[in-house]
Amino acid sequence: MASPQPSSPIPARGKLILGALAFGGLTMLGIAALIRWRPPLELGSIIARITPVFAIALLALLALDFTLGGLRYRLLLDGRVFSRVSLWHCMRANWANMLLGAITPAQTGGGAAQLYVLCRRGARLSEAILASILTFVATLLFLALGGLAALAFVPREALSRGVLVALVITVAVITALAGLLISAVAAQRGTVRLLRRSLSAVSRRGTRVRRWAAAGRRLLSREVERLASGIRAVASRGKVTLVRVCAATALLFLNKYLMGYVLAAALQGPVDLSFMGLQLLQHIVLYFSPTPGASGIAEASTGLLMNRVLLAEVTVLWVVGWRLLTTFVGTILGAFVLLVEARRHVQYVRADEKGAAA
């Protein structure tokens, strides 16, 4: 039986415009502040340093980034553990995630867009939710273990005392959150009971909260058995798959840091390998940033964390190139994906209405 067509996650046009303006405005504000702090050289002389070899390497790493971003979901949605969704559509779901994550506060809209595309391309809602949860847990595990390794091996002189203390606290919180989520997935019945109690408790609050709670209860009652079945499927025949998902997650993020490293080497020449460790620590900060797409904070954190390994005159161009590779290109592709999916969703609804009227 085909999974039901979920309602479109695309916010109202006004919210989209407001989110895009916030994303663009905070990004420009951050770049402007960075320009005043670490003035660049003439752009032409810096861009001239990017040879065709570096350009080809960056494009190859970008293609690998997109492939790994989809592969994490494809490993679970392979027709054996869960329903089958092609690698291409998993990549498209990842781009949709990047778009709405970039224009919603704390990147909260990305998950809904991802579920929407995956469900429209063959996954059950419960399977898409579990795939997202499991990849999120894999991400937290990588950030926790990678953060501990980076804090251990990055030279102390590369970080100020205040920044170091803040990062240690953040890594500790991420480690605890990863453990909590793993426990929640393992204790499925207890987690469901806790969710039901939480939804009942918030139902007594404001009108908007009651609507969200009611929607959550409907979703929980409809999908709880499927979620439990999905967890059993992973436990019985997906253990190796989980290891592969964790490995793909590690490769995905290491590839992002490698892109930043290659870009820095193209702009300024030799770069210390600690640069990749600093990128990992910066990623921890950006992953939980409250601004749309980490705008503003991405630029500010570069000035704070990279000022001892990036030359002042290339910092601004590195930030622009790095954000282009890791955020802007995927966001643009995500816009095309959601436009296509929304158009097909409207056609589906209209065809359904005509069939009911006939």
Side-chain angles (χ1 to χ4, degrees):
M1 179 177 173
S3 58
Q5 293 290 331
S7 59
S8 172
I10 301 175
R13 183 179 299 178
K15 291 183 178 180
L16 284 175
I17 293 173
L18 185 61
L21 289 175
F23 175 67
L26 288 172
T27 297
M28 295 305 297
L29 187 63
I31 291 174
L34 200 57
I35 288 173
R36 287 184 62 84
W37 183 16
R38 296 172 72 80
L41 289 176
E42 183 186 352
L43 290 180
S45 62
I46 301 177
I47 294 175
R49 300 175 186 176
I50 303 179
T51 64
V53 172
F54 277 117
I56 292 171
L58 288 170
L59 289 175
L61 291 172
L62 179 61
L64 181 58
D65 177 67
F66 289 153
T67 302
L68 289 170
L71 181 63
R72 295 200 302 162
Y73 304 102
R74 178 66 177 84
L75 287 170
L76 291 165
L77 297 164
D78 63 347
R80 188 177 65 89
V81 179
F82 296 151
S83 300
R84 186 182 185 281
V85 179
S86 70
L87 175 60
W88 170 245
H89 289 309
C90 288
M91 290 168 63
R92 294 174 71 248
N94 188 51
W95 291 330
N97 184 339
M98 293 176 72
L99 169 67
L100 285 195
I103 60 175
T104 53
Q107 307 178 58
T108 49
Q114 177 178 284
L115 297 181
Y116 175 68
V117 175
L118 289 176
C119 288
R120 283 188 53 78
R121 295 301 172 175
R124 290 182 178 275
L125 180 58
S126 56
E127 294 171 339
I129 290 172
L130 273 177
S132 295
I133 291 173
L134 293 173
T135 52
F136 179 56
V137 170
T139 297
L140 290 180
L141 283 174
F142 172 79
L143 292 179
L145 296 175
L148 291 172
L151 289 172
F153 292 108
V154 168
R156 288 291 173 266
E157 60 272 14
L159 298 169
S160 67
R161 181 176 178 79
V163 171
L164 181 61
V165 170
L167 287 171
V168 168
I169 294 172
T170 304
V171 171
V173 170
I174 290 172
T175 304
L177 182 58
L180 182 63
L181 279 174
I182 292 171
S183 301
V185 172
Q188 49 182 287
R189 292 183 180 178
T191 302
V192 170
R193 284 197 298 270
L194 180 61
L195 283 173
R196 282 177 172 156
R197 290 174 185 172
S198 301
L199 290 170
S200 297
V202 299
S203 294
R204 294 187 289 272
R205 300 185 181 276
T207 303
R208 179 175 295 182
V209 175
R210 284 201 301 270
R211 286 201 299 267
W212 279 102
R217 283 199 304 273
R218 288 195 300 271
L219 173 64
L220 193 62
S221 62
R222 187 175 67 244
E223 297 292 333
V224 64
E225 291 304 322
R226 291 177 178 176
L227 285 168
S229 175
I231 293 173
R232 288 193 294 269
V234 172
S236 63
R237 58 181 184 274
K239 296 184 183 69
V240 175
T241 299
L242 287 180
V243 174
R244 291 173 179 168
V245 169
C246 290
T249 298
L251 289 174
L252 170 69
F253 293 126
L254 289 173
N255 183 68
K256 290 181 186 292
Y257 310 149
L258 183 58
M259 277 196 291
Y261 181 87
V262 170
L263 180 61
L267 294 174
Q268 72 176 41
V271 184
D272 191 86
L273 278 176
S274 64
F275 186 79
M276 292 184 69
L278 290 172
Q279 284 186 91
L280 193 156
L281 295 175
Q282 183 185 31
H283 181 206
I284 290 173
V285 174
L286 300 185
Y287 197 81
F288 298 96
S289 168
T291 60
S295 52
I297 294 177
E299 294 75 26
S301 61
T302 298
L304 289 171
L305 290 172
M306 307 295 189
N307 62 335
R308 301 187 186 184
V309 289
L310 268 181
L311 298 177
E313 58 267 25
V314 305
T315 299
V316 173
L317 192 59
W318 182 85
V319 167
V320 173
W322 167 64
R323 292 285 276 170
L324 181 69
L325 291 168
T326 59
T327 303
F328 299 152
V329 174
T331 297
I332 293 168
L333 291 172
F336 286 107
V337 169
L338 277 189
L339 283 173
V340 169
E341 293 297 341
R343 183 180 302 167
R344 288 177 177 170
H345 181 85
V346 170
Q347 292 172 349
Y348 173 88
V349 171
R350 287 176 178 171
D352 197 42
E353 288 174 347
K354 288 180 180 177

